[in-house]
Amino acid sequence: MSVIDKIKNSNGPLFTFELLPPLKGHSIDRAYKAIDRLIEFQPAYINFTTHRNEITYRERPDGLLEKRVTRLRPGTVALAAAVKYKYNITVVPHILCGGFTKEETENVLIEMNFLGIDDVLALRGDPQRGTRTFIPEKEGHTHTYELVKQIINMNHGKYLEETLVDTTPTDFCIGVAGYPEKHVEAPNMQTDLEYLKQKVEAGASYIVTQMFFDNSKFLRFRDECKKTGINVPVIAGLKPISNLNDINLLPQTFHIDVPNDLVSAIRKCKTDKEAREVGIEWTTMQSKELIKEGVPGLHYYTLGRSDNIARIVKGAF
Ligand SMILES: Cc1cc2nc3c(=O)[nH]c(=O)nc-3n(C[C@H](O)[C@H](O)[C@H](O)COP(=O)(O)OP(=O)(O)OC[C@H]3O[C@@H](n4cnc5c(N)ncnc54)[C@H](O)[C@@H]3O)c2cc1C
């Protein structure tokens, strides 16, 4: 069943989570371990992030720098397929504009289709590390709504090569990202919402939000979506604080605020372990409140470790 059908057929909020593919050179067992801790809570589906190629520089013995293009976490679609068949669960690989041509995107979508994967989260991707501006591939997409259109075209049997005849339509259910605290590059919230609407009008069936620590921001965003004419389900993205440095790092990385009460509680902690406990408590409280507010789903960012998510889900659902 697709994500949107699961949302429509559910009486309560869905529990879902996101995993990163293991770092290159490491075993798929790392992902299985994280899933094993959460599978008893019957997740409705699992997302898998995609990581574009990165440019790195390595010093050669002669002192000159050698440029290397490498992907640190390859294998998204293969991992998603392995998990789908091992656990008999719906999987949602992420697919990016950045770093991919339209042709490469089409090929990945064909692979997913052959593997029986019909759900996808469409994203633009961030600018390359060390740069401020997003630069698309020469034959790639600049904004996510274009990527959504490409997938919808395939759902209508329309591939990039227009001379193909008698094509088989795909049946992808597409999710897109939303930002309760505005996407960092958007000049203001309303403009960001208009672009979010454009992604939905292009064919996205639901929205998953960036992480947030203040529920009132999510609830305002949900209201603003409605006012803007965005009428698809909005799934709340949550990440528990997991160490002392998260309150500094997460705002820098994800352009989100950490509320004062949470900052004060973390500042009282002496160890990462204590901070992790505070994180569990805070996200459990957020989850309970959001369930009361009738959210269609709670989506947890695990970043590979899931023991804290297990405790939150146990406490909240
Ligand atoms: C749930 C979730 C999962 C994610 N997973 C991944 C992942 O797996 N891999 C990864 O690399 N990144 C991931 N990201 C990060 C994401 O790629 C970045 O946040 C990225 O900067 C924006 O992606 P987007 O799809 O929201 O872009 P877009 O919707 O294209 O928006 C990007 C910016 O452009 C603006 N914009 C949109 N449309 C237009 C237009 N037509 N004209 C002018 N401006 C426009 C928007 O206002 C926004 O400021 C994830 C984010 C979320 C919330």
Side-chain angles (χ1 to χ4, degrees):
M1 206 191 283
S2 69
V3 168
I4 192 63
D5 286 340
K6 279 175 182 276
I7 294 172
K8 284 182 181 160
N9 288 317
S10 174
N11 293 324
L14 302 180
F15 155 57
T16 64
F17 63 95
E18 174 184 295
L19 276 184
L20 279 64
L23 281 167
K24 191 182 274 183
H26 292 280
S27 160
I28 195 168
D29 289 342
R30 287 189 175 206
Y32 291 158
K33 234 185 203 167
I35 296 169
D36 286 341
R37 284 202 198 95
L38 295 176
I39 206 75
E40 66 173 289
F41 304 107
Q42 298 178 332
Y45 57 86
I46 306 174
N47 280 54
F48 295 91
T49 56
T50 287
H51 302 259
R52 62 176 295 170
N53 284 343
E54 286 184 32
I55 298 166
T56 57
Y57 291 90
R58 197 167 60 174
E59 195 174 343
R60 297 193 323 204
D62 61 9
L64 293 175
L65 290 180
E66 182 181 279
K67 183 178 168 184
R68 285 166 57 87
V69 179
T70 184
R71 190 169 306 174
L72 297 176
R73 293 181 186 272
T76 299
V77 171
L79 172 63
V83 167
K84 174 181 168 69
Y85 292 106
K86 181 174 162 67
Y87 295 91
N88 189 23
I89 193 167
T90 298
V91 291
V92 188
H94 296 184
I95 191 161
L96 302 178
C97 303
F100 297 88
T101 64
K102 290 173 202 163
E103 182 79 18
E104 286 166 336
T105 293
E106 186 173 85
N107 292 340
V108 171
L109 290 163
I110 289 170
E111 273 176 33
M112 285 168 53
N113 177 251
F114 287 175
L115 287 162
I117 298 174
D118 294 326
D119 287 278
V120 62
L121 191 72
L123 301 144
R124 189 197 68 179
D126 286 323
Q128 271 279 21
R129 195 172 291 199
T131 62
R132 279 169 176 240
T133 315
F134 176 81
I135 301 169
E137 292 302 298
K138 199 158 164 253
E139 294 298 327
H141 298 298
T142 308
H143 299 293
T144 300
Y145 84 94
E146 300 159 0
L147 175 57
V148 174
K149 277 189 178 170
Q150 180 181 0
I151 306 170
I152 291 292
N153 278 343
M154 286 177 71
N155 282 355
H156 293 140
K158 224 173 126 191
Y159 290 70
L160 293 173
E161 176 56 65
E162 283 168 7
T163 57
L164 293 182
V165 287
D166 213 8
T167 54
T168 307
T170 54
D171 188 21
F172 285 110
C173 166
I174 310 164
V176 289
Y179 300 84
E181 297 176 62
K182 184 181 89 60
H183 185 262
V184 61
E185 294 165 35
N188 58 56
M189 193 60 175
Q190 194 51 42
T191 309
D192 208 22
L193 284 164
E194 294 296 339
Y195 289 135
L196 179 55
K197 189 175 176 194
Q198 188 181 32
K199 292 194 274 194
V200 172
E201 285 174 347
S205 299
Y206 64 98
I207 294 161
V208 189
T209 74
Q210 181 59 279
M211 65 183 74
F212 56 89
F213 292 93
D214 179 347
N215 283 352
S216 68
K217 293 197 172 166
F218 171 85
L219 296 172
R220 198 174 317 132
F221 173 72
R222 191 175 67 169
D223 289 348
E224 292 301 323
C225 281
K226 281 209 184 100
K227 277 189 207 151
T228 312
I230 299 169
N231 293 310
V232 295
V234 183
I235 293 171
L238 295 174
K239 182 197 167 332
I241 295 277
S242 58
N243 59 55
L244 290 166
N245 201 25
D246 266 358
I247 54 167
N248 303 315
L249 213 60
L250 295 176
Q252 280 177 45
T253 312
F254 298 105
H255 312 282
I256 46 157
D257 273 357
V258 180
N260 223 0
D261 288 353
L262 180 53
V263 173
S264 307
I266 296 290
R267 287 217 170 117
K268 284 184 195 136
C269 298
K270 292 194 175 57
T271 62
D272 283 340
K273 201 168 166 226
E274 282 175 33
R276 206 171 164 80
E277 287 301 314
V278 171
I280 290 170
E281 248 176 63
W282 187 273
T283 310
T284 305
M285 176 272 291
Q286 274 192 283
S287 304
K288 283 181 178 168
E289 201 177 295
L290 290 166
I291 290 171
K292 274 197 198 137
E293 286 288 342
V295 292
L298 291 174
H299 183 69
Y300 295 90
Y301 297 102
T302 69
L303 302 185
R305 285 189 60 184
S306 59
D307 49 312
N308 51 353
I309 308 293
R311 283 181 52 199
I312 292 161
V313 176
K314 210 171 185 173
F317 277 78

